[in-house]
Amino acid sequence: MKEKLFWWREQYRWKKRFIKRVCFYSFLIWYIQALPSVLFNDSYSTVLVGKNGKLLGAHIAKDGQWRFPPSNKTPRKIALCLTTFEDKNFYYHPGVSAKGICRAFYQNVSRGKIVSGGSTITQQVIRLMRKNPPRTYSEKALEIILATRLELSYSKDEILNLYTANAPFGNNVVGIDAASWRYFGRAPESLSWAESATLAVLPNAPGLIYPGKNHQSLLKKRNRLLKMLYDDGEIEKLDYFLALEEPLPDKPLALPQEAPHLLQRCILRGQKGQLIRSTLNEEIQTMVNNETEQYALRMNELGIYNAAVLVTSVETGEVVAYKGNLNHTDDDHAFDVDCIQAARSTGSILKPLLYAKSLHAGIITPKQLLCDFPSRFGTFAPNNFNRQFSGALPANKALSKSLNIPMVFLLREYGQAKFHNDLKQFGFRHMNKQSSHYGLSLVLGGAEASMWEVNACYNSLAQHLNSPDNLKLHYLSQKSEEAPKQLLDKASVYATFEALIDVNRPDEENNWRAFESSQKIAWKTGTSFGFRDAWAVGVTPKYVVSVWVGNANGEGRPGLTGVKAAAPLLFSIFRNLEAPQKWFSKPLAEMTRTEICNESGQISNRYCEHTHFEYIPTSTLISKNCSYHQLVHLNQNETFRVNADCENSSSIKHKSWFILPPSMEKYYVQQNPNYHSVPPFDPKCTANRPESIMSFIYPKRQTKIYIPRELNGLRGKVIFEIAHTRRNSILYWHIDDEFVGSTSEIHQISVQPEKGPHKVTVVDEAGVLLSESFEVL
């Protein structure tokens, strides 16, 4: 019996020990796993900061709270104020204060209700993590256990960071960062003792006391904390009395909105609820905002309501200022549209790229003459903005004056399909249609591009000259990727920028002088058809500035031109930017010193009498020699061109002559009075008659032409053809005195004349002219 009783006792003791061990290990396992891997999973505000960490803008969290993503460090003043007010022994206890719990228990029992919690900062982190459950003794016991567990997993500084990031600070403000900006308009690191103390007392009763509510109670709490800090020797006597005199904020402040469109772009690109560290320079961003908003007030009087500015660093490819639109809140003029990313008609802003590519391809030299007279290219009849014509002018002048007709001639020679492909490689993604869709209007604004694409392209060109590495345009602080390999040689880019330095625009004489600047700037403007978009882009070795002015809804306005509406803002911004110490270095390794004809701007031939030497891009050496200077044979009086058939060889004068085709000559002579037309052929010389040099194959005299419609319903074209004794001659075709094209070798041209009588005229390089009349039925 005794043995059986002993056996039962041993079994009971074993089971008791087993149950204790199971409970202990179960508690230990639970204790180890009691804390979730992520303590707080609340939604955060999206916060945009500049390169130096200054707040530029924020978007409220999904739950309607201003809760900034947590930072890794609590400022010293804030930490000292919080621990002094909330938990003096924070750095010494294991998460729980026995003294505090005993005091709270006594107060609660003596009053018959819970009036004090005796919580440490660690315990308050647990309560915040558990969304402030009802205060019960069981809840307090769980809070104590979890607080000790928190102390084992996190350092004191980390626990304090968790508290400052998630504690309520009154109204809908959560966390010390949001509170600092909402109440004082500054980062917590820059707060004074009085401001730090004000924030430190807010989590104690955030629903009752905060700036704008219970002012006197908040003031007493703040001053009591300042007294505690002074008594503890944490602040000096002078600092203490100065802190007492500081006023409290009256109400929460509006958060900065320095770059709202960039913030919205980051949100759309998946960065919602994050701390976004941008490359924006806070000072430059503020300057651009102020300049743009003030300038917009003047534009509003003209019915122009939107503007955008992008400033980028040539050295790093960083976006230093991003002004996507005006900072207005009404919906009348689409101020929410980010005009930096919106596709708009480019106007003339792409002309420098065509000029540079033509140099790179060896089609022209920098000062080679381009045609500038009334012309038609099929159904496309471009015109210059000023409705005037030079006949012919240097390519660099045509670019600086932004003339349309010379650039269309150049695009036709370069190849519109080739240029369209170049633009896509330059990064113009919005030009996603075939080149035939745009036609020759591509270089005049027939295609759309965003300011981002325009700025990225010009920044890449400047980087190509300035540094060995090209970096992609970027607005986030992480290291940028390398840009695609540059499509141009440095010499062609340099020559293009040199052409863009000339700001004298004859079509805008009353405006250009206002743009004189102490710094050298290569700049270009653009105006879209219908005066809907005004562009300006400027380049220095330090910055690229792009400006767009217009109406986001596409409504045009008289006077909405690049030089009048966009250029003034461009130069206003450049005046406030740091000027570079020197201009781009001349890339002599890619240039060759060559003899150039003064009149034609081409590489001189043996008949050029007036020449000079200059450095030109080596790539242009393959361009043809001067095609305008010819050796002509004259009679003694130099009144006729002759030959051996009608003049004695001893009487013939041989003379170099600068000869322009009649289409050019007609307008060129008006602006160049020193130009002398080449004498006509002597009628006695039968070999020089037009009929003996060239003849029409089609049309013949008084031909009646019927032009049928194509299968697609559109009106068709007719092909004219001529035969010339010198196959390599260039022939210039005109219909009714309007230039329609030129041919070489195969002298056929496709035209689409309107119904009625017309005259077709063909002139060769020597000035031989032949005309025929025809009628379209």
Side-chain angles (χ1 to χ4, degrees), residues 342-356:
R344 311 292 301 194
S345 172
T346 56
S348 300
I349 212 73
L350 303 181
K351 288 177 181 175
L353 304 182
L354 175 61
Y355 178 81

Side-chain angles (χ1 to χ4, degrees), residues 542-666:
K542 197 169 184 66
Y543 295 109
V544 174
V545 178
S546 299
V547 173
W548 174 88
V549 176
N551 290 314
N553 62 6
E555 185 178 358
R557 279 287 184 270
L560 183 59
T561 65
V563 75
K564 285 184 178 179
L569 179 56
L570 176 85
F571 282 88
S572 176
I573 290 169
F574 266 119
R575 279 193 292 270
N576 288 281
L577 290 174
E578 180 186 357
Q581 295 183 353
K582 61 179 182 178
W583 186 242
F584 296 103
S585 300
K586 201 170 189 175
L588 292 175
E590 297 182 7
M591 305 181 84
T592 303
R593 190 170 181 268
T594 309
E595 188 176 12
I596 299 296
C597 174
N598 290 358
E599 286 84 2
S600 70
Q602 295 174 298
I603 298 171
S604 65
N605 65 20
R606 56 180 177 166
Y607 302 122
C608 294
E609 294 182 336
H610 306 103
T611 63
H612 66 279
F613 283 88
E614 68 175 75
Y615 282 96
I616 62 173
T618 302
S619 60
T620 65
L621 293 178
I622 63 173
S623 64
K624 58 187 177 183
N625 290 1
C626 180
S627 56
Y628 299 102
H629 277 94
Q630 300 177 25
L631 186 66
V632 296
H633 313 292
L634 307 172
N635 59 15
Q636 285 294 315
N637 298 326
E638 298 186 5
T639 55
F640 289 104
R641 280 187 277 178
V642 296
N643 56 40
D645 292 339
C646 56
E647 189 80 21
N648 291 327
S649 298
S650 59
S651 302
I652 296 177
K653 285 188 176 181
H654 306 287
K655 190 171 184 180
S656 172
W657 207 285
F658 179 54
I659 303 175
L660 292 175
S663 304
M664 291 186 184
E665 182 182 283
K666 177 180 177 181

Side-chain angles (χ1 to χ4, degrees), residues 498-511:
E498 286 292 297
L500 294 176
I501 292 171
D502 182 8
V503 297
N504 186 355
R505 304 291 178 87
D507 55 328
E508 301 288 354
E509 280 190 31
N510 296 327
N511 294 281

Side-chain angles (χ1 to χ4, degrees), residues 223-294:
N223 291 346
R224 186 166 72 248
L225 173 55
L226 289 172
K227 182 68 165 59
M228 294 167 66
L229 293 169
Y230 174 65
D231 291 341
D232 291 344
E234 299 293 349
I235 57 176
E236 300 291 336
K237 184 176 182 179
L238 178 60
D239 292 333
Y240 168 63
F241 284 107
L242 289 175
L244 292 176
E245 295 301 318
E246 284 191 34
L248 292 175
D250 294 327
K251 59 181 179 179
L253 304 174
L255 291 176
Q257 292 296 326
E258 294 291 304
H261 297 89
L262 179 58
L263 175 62
Q264 192 60 36
R265 176 167 175 76
C266 292
I267 291 174
L268 293 175
R269 293 173 69 89
Q271 293 177 281
K272 188 174 184 178
Q274 299 179 22
L275 175 63
I276 303 165
R277 300 189 182 277
S278 74
T279 60
L280 300 188
N281 181 301
E282 294 90 335
E283 292 183 3
I284 295 178
Q285 179 69 34
T286 300
M287 177 273 291
V288 167
N289 285 342
N290 293 338
E291 292 291 330
T292 307
E293 295 291 340
Q294 291 175 16

Side-chain angles (χ1 to χ4, degrees), residues 708-714:
R709 292 194 175 273
E710 305 288 352
L711 293 176
N712 57 12
L714 298 177

Side-chain angles (χ1 to χ4, degrees), residues 702-718:
Q702 300 300 328
T703 299
K704 297 184 183 297
I705 300 172
Y706 175 74
I707 303 178
R709 292 194 175 273
E710 305 288 352
L711 293 176
N712 57 12
L714 298 177
R715 191 163 176 270
K717 295 182 179 182
V718 61

